[in-house]
Structures are given as C-alpha cells and as structure tokens.
Amino acid sequence: MADKMTPEQRSRCMSKIKSRNTRPEMIVRRFLFSHGFRYRIHARPLPGTPDIVITRLHTCIFINGCFWHGHEGCSMYRLPQTNVDYWANKIEHNRQRDHATRLRLKAMGWHTVEIWECQLKPKEREITLNGLLRTLNFISLQNQGARFLYTLQEEESSMAAEDDRDD
C-alpha cells in the first residue's frame, strides 16, 4: 500500500504541476515542426488559449492532461480519495469549459483537435501522431475546397486519435 501524503505534501506536489510546455505538449510540437508545420503556442487572443495554433490551417490543438480534463475510461484519470466533491466539481467545470471553448472556436471558423496525455505514452504515440498528421492533411484539403465522396461527422474530423466521444 502506498504511503499517504500529508495535505502540505500534496499541496506542494500539486503546485509544481505545469500547465504550459509540458512533456506531452513538447512531443506534439517537435513532431509538427519536423513535419514542416509552423505554429504559434498559447495564443491568448483565441478562446481557451490553445496549446498550439496552426494559423495557416485555421486549426487549434489542445493537449489535455487526463486527470485535469477528466478523460473518461482512462487509467490516468482517477479522482483523489480526499476532498472528492471539490475535485469532481473542478474537473466537471473544466470539461464544460473545454466544450464551450470548442463551440466558440467553431463559431469563429476554427478547427479544433484534442489530444489526450495518455495518447502520447510510448505505446500509443505513433498511432496518435500519425492520426494527427492525417487530420491536419484532411483539414488542409478541406480548406482548399477539396470535395470528398464521403462525409465525416463533424466531431470525428476534429479528433486526432479518439474513437468515440459525446460532445
């Protein structure tokens, strides 16, 4: 059984967690740059301050931590055993804010892509990044007026590697 942290230790640990330039974010940024994509990071003028903005494709990429954004069905998302109500409310608020942000960006004509932290773990990384590349290529073709013989549901075209999600 793992040692329990004191509230002071937990507070100190939680305060050290970064929200910008995280390891998952750096993995995606390096991948995009190596594939010729140029982007801006943490664009404040846009709703939600997206982690990565590819202006040329009018696309925002959000790299979400599984815990902080409540990734359902993920082993990395588990509510703490203490102060459960606080954390449940906080994470639900984050989910609602994320959804509202995506809707605002869509209304402004932006595409959004959401990548989860667990999708960038070594076993899933290649599949996720290749899915991101395919998504960006699809958006590029779409922006250039390409016509497709098939259609994707709107939410499917904005997800890099997530199979099913109800938003």
Side-chain angles (χ1 to χ4, degrees):
M1 187 156 180
D3 293 328
K4 297 207 178 215
M5 287 189 209
T6 66
E8 293 80 20
Q9 290 171 322
R10 184 175 320 285
S11 178
R12 190 172 55 249
C13 285
M14 296 300 263
S15 72
K16 299 290 182 197
I17 296 172
K18 300 187 306 180
S19 63
R20 294 171 184 239
N21 303 320
T22 61
R23 181 175 170 81
E25 194 176 313
M26 297 306 293
I27 289 168
V28 174
R29 284 166 40 184
R30 283 188 202 108
F31 175 81
L32 290 172
F33 193 85
S34 71
H35 284 80
F37 291 94
R38 298 304 177 252
Y39 50 82
R40 294 173 50 209
I41 58 173
H42 311 122
R44 288 186 185 269
L46 292 171
T49 312
D51 298 312
I52 300 170
V53 177
I54 303 174
T55 309
R56 183 176 60 87
L57 296 179
H58 226 62
T59 301
C60 299
I61 301 173
F62 293 92
I63 297 133
N64 293 339
C66 294
F67 172 75
W68 297 104
H69 295 268
H71 189 197
E72 287 295 330
C74 176
S75 63
M76 296 174 71
Y77 169 60
R78 192 176 69 234
L79 282 176
Q81 294 177 353
T82 57
N83 213 358
V84 176
D85 288 339
Y86 168 80
W87 286 108
N89 290 334
K90 179 174 184 55
I91 291 168
E92 183 57 32
H93 173 74
N94 289 350
R95 285 180 179 157
Q96 290 172 359
R97 186 194 62 224
D98 292 345
H99 182 70
T101 297
R102 285 193 307 272
L103 291 177
R104 286 177 60 202
L105 286 165
K106 182 178 179 181
M108 295 169 64
W110 287 85
H111 302 279
T112 60
V113 177
E114 184 176 51
I115 299 176
W116 292 96
E117 174 186 15
C118 65
Q119 294 173 321
L120 295 169
K121 294 293 182 191
K123 289 183 179 180
E124 301 293 323
R125 187 176 300 158
E126 185 177 349
I127 293 168
T128 300
L129 295 176
N130 285 331
L132 174 61
L133 195 56
R134 284 191 303 276
T135 299
L136 294 175
N137 287 332
F138 179 82
I139 290 169
S140 178
L141 289 170
Q142 204 174 30
N143 288 350
Q144 294 172 22
R147 295 187 183 183
F148 301 98
L149 299 175
Y150 57 90
T151 59
L152 292 176
Q153 291 178 350
E154 192 62 37
E155 217 31 60
E156 287 181 42
S157 67
S158 66
M159 305 301 279
E162 189 72 14
D163 287 333
D164 29 65
R165 168 125 187 190
D166 298 333
D167 276 305

